[in-house]
Amino acid sequence: MNELDLHKVGVRGINSQLHSLPKNTNEKHWVIQNPRGQHSIAVGLDAPLQIDIRGHVGFYCGGMNKDAELTIHGHAGVGTAENMMSGVVWVKGNSSESAGATGNGGLLVIEGDASSRCGISMKGIDIVVGGSVGHMSAFMAQRGNLIVCGDAGDALGDSIYEARLYVKGKVASLGADCIEKEMRAEHLADLERLLKAAKRKEKPSDFRRYGSARKLYNFSVDHADAY
Amino acid sequence: MDKTPRTLPRKSATFDDYTLSEIRRAASTGIYDIRGAGAKRRLPHFDDLLFLGASISRYPLEGYREKCGTNVVLGTRFAKKPIELKIPITIAGMSFGSLSAQAKEALGRGATIAGTSTTTGDGGMTPEERGQSKTLVYQYLPSRYGMNPDDLRKADAIEIVIGQGAKPGGGGMLLGQKISDRVAAMRCLPKGIDQRSACRHPDWTGPDDLEIKIHELREITNWEKPIYVKIGGARPYYDVALAVKSGADVVVLDGMQGGTAATQEVFIEHVGQPTLACIRPAVRALQELGMHRKVQLIVSGGIRNGADVAKALALGVDAVSIGTAALVALGDNDPHYEAEYNELGSTAGAYDDWHEGRDPAGITTQDPELAKRLDPVKAGRRLSNYLKVMTLEAQTIARANGKSHVHNLEPEDLCALTVEAAAMAQVPLAGTDWIPGRGGY
Ligand SMILES: Cc1cc2nc3c(=O)[nH]c(=O)nc-3n(C[C@H](O)[C@H](O)[C@H](O)COP(=O)(O)O)c2cc1C
């Protein structure tokens, strides 16, 4: 295990150290001390590292991650794991707005609550939220799965494309073109796999599924009110 | 027949033929008009400015013999690897999706021969354009279609797009007709559906967040790459100041004549300020912050020839960028295809239904048969020829004004033909020493 103290080396010191590691490095496990809510910690990683961040982080922690597994032992700011490609970002606490925004792949787990716009424009990432998500979550969500074990705020899945949303609790309201959909065996299997990966105890059968009615896919004047 | 004299039939200036045709079109379809290209109305522009030249009070340089530099370095503020271009004319961001892969490749080839950069667009980076572009700027847009860290690291500079001159405050639109398998796959969306691009970034709002976003992109790319911020010509003084405050290395400012792949006609013609009106407020913001020439300013929107380039530079700009003109150089709207433009209900020079994907010139299309019509090598050569001509023209003007580098051109070399242009460009009306707004009147 290697330790990096953000207080001593700064964000630049941490990122340049982590970026300099070759993909096949033996120094896989890194602990980051004193993150102190700083922004852009452990962004753009490109190797199968295992990273424990001991405290709270600011914006974009784990942004554009590839292959690395990050655990944030605290709360996270805006845009956690934004545009993640692969790997895992695991937030032990809560996460602010736009968690997992535009993520292409990998798994984002938020044990606590996520704020508004969770999974906005997601493009293939899987997101599991132990608590609730705020309004406009999964706005224009294209691909991937968003699983919410608590409740969802207003306008869930507004203008959604092909992403799949699963919510166990209440949905305050659905956004334009987002509807409740039938839960079939393949969906239950997906849910089971992802809940397990996120070490959740919830039962897949307790969730409801939401997705696109696909009515806004090609412009029609009869749907102009929905825009 | 009644011989009483009658007045001639008179059409309304307000309800002109175009307006009437638009009312009929709207009434029959129920959809706003969408089209490509920039504002088509007449606007105060560079044509309303003239250079004074040199005589006794100023000393000219000898054409062809005395050197007149044209190089420009972009990204000197924070980036470890600023980019140096041979000419102050870059190729603007135009998306793969709106343009064919061949057209993107041709832009890369032409720019590279001429010693300048080209830019990706909404939809991501294609191997063709990366392969053919010596210097490639990678756009970071609200949709983040095709955005990934590998391409980010392959780029020579990053351009955060906040807006475009054709539609400041608007998002993007690629209609289903143009979504081929390849375009769909790059954007992670099903084929054949309309692809709306958001107008705001998904993970930041406002200048304080933008600063953090720029910091993130610098951290991901180890502070190597220049970071540009592109804005539409909305409130150039404040927007440029905020881009500088947020940490941009370069500001790209696109006026309302700037082209677009597909936007509502009402947006193109009625939102945003003319390019000419945007430049001085932008330069003033940089000067007041002590950042003029430290944060470079690139201006686009209706740049057509070396005179436009020289005039923009004289007003304090570091480089210009071209979209529409570059497409025309490749072969867009060529009279050669007149019969086919007619079949599409248009004529060469007016064809702007680029969103339909049926471009006879094979440029704004994803139809493989049409796209094949454009030979990327030949089209690239035409673009490089055109870029060289523009550069020679700008040099000719600079020498005539006694300048050994195009960047030495200054507002004092200019006068304006109209009161409007004099006010916007803050140069005297021709034949007077009057700059509207100066000295209290
Ligand atoms: C076909 C086409 C596609 C464009 N796509 C983009 C884009 O993806 N992103 C962007 O920032 N600007 C885009 N633009 C705008 C150009 O980058 C540029 O701002 C504009 O074309 C400059 O004005 P000009 O066309 O008068 O030279 C596009 C323009 C055209 C003509």
Side-chain angles (χ1 to χ4, degrees), chain A residues 66 82 98 123 142 219, chain B residues 143 150 187 194 202 216 222:
Chain A
K66 275 178 83 183
E82 66 86 16
S98 303
K123 295 169 169 49
Q142 296 174 219
F219 185 87
Chain B
S143 72
D150 299 327
R187 296 174 181 227
D194 296 348
E216 184 205 10
N222 285 322

Side-chain angles (χ1 to χ4, degrees), chain B residues 36-38 91-96 98-99 104 119-123 139 141 159 161-167 178 187 230-231 252-262 275 299-304 321-327 354 363-364:
Chain B
I91 305 300
M94 291 182 273
S95 59
F96 169 65
S98 77
L99 300 185
K104 289 298 281 176
T119 312
T120 66
D122 212 359
Q139 285 200 330
L141 294 116
E159 181 169 304
V161 179
I162 302 190
Q164 257 177 262
K167 47 177 176 180
K178 281 180 84 168
R187 296 174 181 227
K230 176 173 179 175
I231 53 177
V252 181
L253 173 60
D254 189 27
M256 79 175 280
Q257 293 99 320
T260 172
T275 305
V299 161
S300 59
I303 304 283
R304 305 152 298 174
S321 193
I322 57 168
T324 306
L327 299 186
W354 299 342
I363 294 171
T364 58

Side-chain angles (χ1 to χ4, degrees), chain B residues 323-355:
Chain B
T324 306
L327 299 186
V328 173
L330 298 187
D332 173 64
N333 267 294
D334 195 313
H336 176 68
Y337 291 113
E338 180 62 8
E340 290 181 56
Y341 289 123
N342 292 346
E343 266 175 47
L344 295 169
S346 190
T347 179
Y351 178 68
D352 58 14
D353 286 326
W354 299 342
H355 56 289

Side-chain angles (χ1 to χ4, degrees), chain B residues 128-432:
Chain B
E128 290 95 328
E129 69 179 330
R130 177 61 281 187
Q132 297 305 335
S133 311
K134 178 166 174 283
T135 308
L136 182 61
V137 183
Y138 187 35
Q139 285 200 330
Y140 188 77
L141 294 116
S143 72
R144 312 274 165 89
Y145 288 139
M147 171 51 54
N148 71 74
D150 299 327
D151 288 344
L152 198 67
R153 283 186 273 260
K154 277 185 217 147
D156 299 295
I158 300 164
E159 181 169 304
I160 301 178
V161 179
I162 302 190
Q164 257 177 262
K167 47 177 176 180
M173 197 145 28
L174 194 61
L175 297 188
Q177 301 89 301
K178 281 180 84 168
I179 315 297
S180 65
D181 287 324
R182 184 173 177 200
V183 173
M186 279 178 71
R187 296 174 181 227
C188 309
L189 280 170
K191 199 182 164 183
I193 72 172
D194 296 348
Q195 301 193 350
R196 292 158 280 158
S197 300
C199 66
R200 294 199 304 265
H201 280 262
D203 56 354
W204 62 270
T205 30
D208 296 335
D209 288 6
L210 174 57
E211 186 170 348
I212 304 171
K213 176 51 77 180
I214 289 177
H215 177 250
E216 184 205 10
L217 294 172
R218 290 200 194 279
E219 282 293 324
I220 291 175
T221 53
N222 285 322
W223 291 73
E224 284 176 359
K225 302 180 198 302
I227 297 195
Y228 303 7
V229 170
K230 176 173 179 175
I231 53 177
R235 295 170 180 79
Y237 175 77
Y238 294 106
D239 293 339
V240 167
L242 289 171
V244 171
K245 179 247 166 214
S246 304
D249 290 307
V250 174
V251 178
V252 181
L253 173 60
D254 189 27
M256 79 175 280
Q257 293 99 320
T260 172
T263 301
Q264 298 93 324
E265 152 89 11
V266 71
F267 213 144
I268 299 176
E269 295 288 352
H270 298 278
V271 185
Q273 301 200 58
T275 305
L276 187 65
C278 292
I279 298 179
R280 290 313 286 270
V283 171
R284 186 159 55 89
L286 291 171
Q287 286 167 337
E288 286 174 10
L289 292 165
M291 285 296 177
H292 189 219
R293 307 283 184 216
K294 292 184 185 145
V295 168
Q296 288 79 32
L297 178 65
I298 301 179
V299 161
S300 59
I303 304 283
R304 305 152 298 174
N305 51 44
D308 290 350
V309 177
K311 288 168 188 173
L313 297 187
L315 294 177
V317 163
D318 295 276
V320 299
S321 193
I322 57 168
T324 306
L327 299 186
V328 173
L330 298 187
D332 173 64
N333 267 294
D334 195 313
H336 176 68
Y337 291 113
E338 180 62 8
E340 290 181 56
Y341 289 123
N342 292 346
E343 266 175 47
L344 295 169
S346 190
T347 179
Y351 178 68
D352 58 14
D353 286 326
W354 299 342
H355 56 289
E356 291 176 352
R358 295 189 289 168
D359 183 0
I363 294 171
T364 58
T365 183
Q366 294 301 318
D367 179 314
E369 287 307 311
L370 290 172
K372 263 202 299 213
R373 291 181 176 184
L374 189 83
D375 176 341
V377 177
K378 285 191 187 145
R381 175 55 70 178
R382 281 197 296 273
L383 176 61
S384 75
N385 285 344
Y386 169 60
L387 288 167
K388 282 182 189 158
V389 169
M390 286 174 100
T391 307
L392 284 170
E393 288 174 344
Q395 284 174 305
T396 302
I397 288 173
R399 284 199 190 92
N401 286 278
K403 304 300 194 294
S404 60
H405 195 289
V406 288
H407 284 145
N408 296 341
L409 287 163
E410 53 197 334
E412 288 69 21
D413 295 322
L414 292 167
C415 68
L417 285 170
T418 66
V419 177
E420 288 89 343
M424 290 176 189
Q426 290 289 290
V427 300
L429 184 66
T432 77

